[in-house]
Amino acid sequence: MPTDDDVDAPPSVEDVEPFDADELSGDVPDDLDDAVTAEWTESTTAFERIHAVLKDTTEPRTTGDLADAAATTKPTVRKHVRPLVDAGMVEEDASATATRYVWSSTQRRVDRVADLAADHSPSELDAKLRRTKRRLASLEQTYGVDSPSELVAQLDPDDDAGWEDLSVWRTLEVDLKRLRAAQSMTEYLARSEPGESPRDASRHA
Amino acid sequence: MRRAERGGISRRKLETVERTFRKRLDGLVKSVEWVPEYDVGLEELRIELWDGILADESRFDVAWWTRHGYKYHYVEGGESGATDDGSDRLQFRFGWEKRPGVPDKHFHPPDDLDAHRESCVRHEDPKRVTLAVLKCWHTAATAGDPAKLNALADPP
């Protein structure tokens, strides 16, 4: 029903054309996985894909694994992974038969803590920490155990709610560490603010 | 066989999902919400859309975990005027979990939400899985026909 307000009407699905590859025009293809890979390779460079795949790694992966996951070849992976290893962003494990690579977890963790510290005031961080501890305490109370590792040992495979809670618990454990680290970082930054402390004042005198 | 632990939520992977939705659907993304909150015990990314397959509005609740696994739960209708249990709304879900008795990568079709059918999506990276889910949704939404989802590996 067209009205004078059509200019302000919310967008509809007819207004968007999300895909570039021919493989993804028309109906959902039977080989959807291949079509999606075609779309991905068409809209990105091999380096972008290798970078994206590496960034999601939490365990070391072989060159062959990475090439498959990034829809490229092993020589291309080797070429692009080298500068990332040299820059310390990717860790190389050459101890096994095949060399394996994983995104540096140290770098990742430091980046997240720095973001948290930069984006939040000490009181905001404090409130987040309190909410984290409250939710952890509630999980401990619900299940009568002190850690997610103890919980996993007693969970039934079909206890969907329990498995949901287990994931939340794992998430909260990491959140607690990050928030504590961010709190330390803001305290450190506040202390070293120029002109804020007597030591700084004396240095500038 | 035990059910495999999937770890905590992966914010990095969910950010890839958010970026892909925004880039591919452009103005159709109405809102994005981190539930219950980004920094404390994040459980899912909620993406509301300005259009649906049958209804005028819809949303995806998405989760990715660090070790393995994802869910893309789709439900139609806005917050207002909705029934409490959502039973009469169109819903479906793409999932990946490792548990006994069900296919790892499965699809809960709109007509039988409790069923774990073999999914047509077998990738394990957030970018390609999101593109595949969007393709299924976009095709069904353009046709206004949920049957066009074609999300089963071997459609009956």
Side-chain angles (χ1 to χ4, degrees), chain A residues 65-76:
Chain A
D65 278 352
L66 293 168
D68 285 347
T72 185
T73 61
K74 288 200 269 186
T76 310

Side-chain angles (χ1 to χ4, degrees), chain B residues 2 11 41 44 48-50 53 57-58 70 72 82 86 91 96 118 124 127-128 132 134-135 138 149 151:
Chain B
R2 284 199 52 76
R11 290 182 183 80
E44 61 191 24
E48 287 188 311
L49 302 177
W50 283 114
I53 296 171
E57 283 179 44
S58 62
Y70 60 69
Y72 290 70
Q91 297 187 57
W96 173 26
E118 188 93 34
E124 299 183 352
K127 174 79 180 203
R128 273 181 290 181
L134 284 178
K135 175 59 191 172
H138 182 258
L149 284 168

Side-chain angles (χ1 to χ4, degrees), chain B residues 135-153:
Chain B
K135 175 59 191 172
C136 293
W137 177 82
H138 182 258
T139 307
T142 306
D145 179 5
K148 292 271 183 185
L149 284 168
N150 193 28
L152 307 177

Side-chain angles (χ1 to χ4, degrees), chain A residues 89-145:
Chain A
M89 292 160 84
V90 168
E91 286 160 14
E92 185 174 40
D93 173 8
S95 62
T97 3
T99 309
R100 298 186 303 166
Y101 301 93
V102 63
W103 196 261
S104 163
S105 58
T106 310
Q107 187 62 47
R108 192 192 331 247
R109 278 139 85 188
V110 167
D111 288 348
R112 284 189 180 160
V113 168
D115 284 348
L116 259 184
D119 296 344
H120 301 285
S121 70
S123 63
E124 283 171 337
L125 286 177
D126 196 51
K128 284 179 191 295
L129 254 175
R130 273 184 280 121
R131 285 200 292 281
T132 308
K133 287 177 187 166
R134 198 156 54 226
R135 291 189 63 189
L136 282 167
S138 143
L139 284 168
E140 285 166 25
Q141 199 179 0
T142 303
Y143 291 98
V145 292

Side-chain angles (χ1 to χ4, degrees), chain A residues 12-13 18 24 26-28 33 37 39-40 55-56 69 131 135 152 157 160 163 167 170-171 175, chain B residues 2-3 5-6 9 11-12 24-25 27 37 39 41 43 51 99 122-123 127-128 135 148 150:
Chain A
S12 88
V13 70
L24 282 180
D27 279 349
V28 179
D33 281 342
T37 299
E39 174 74 32
W40 193 38
K55 269 196 158 179
D56 281 337
R131 285 200 292 281
R135 291 189 63 189
V152 74
D160 285 338
W163 286 87
S167 291
R170 292 286 189 208
T171 306
D175 292 345
Chain B
R2 284 199 52 76
R3 186 161 165 169
E5 215 198 315
R6 60 193 179 189
I9 207 94
R11 290 182 183 80
R12 167 175 301 290
R24 300 296 176 148
L25 295 186
E37 63 175 302
D39 293 316
E43 289 175 44
D51 208 344
R99 59 191 283 192
R122 296 181 192 85
H123 289 304
K127 174 79 180 203
R128 273 181 290 181
K135 175 59 191 172
K148 292 271 183 185
N150 193 28

Side-chain angles (χ1 to χ4, degrees), chain A residues 23-46:
Chain A
E23 289 87 339
L24 282 180
S25 61
D27 279 349
V28 179
D30 286 337
D31 53 350
L32 179 60
D33 281 342
D34 290 346
V36 161
T37 299
E39 174 74 32
W40 193 38
T41 51
E42 204 162 294
S43 58
T44 50
T45 64

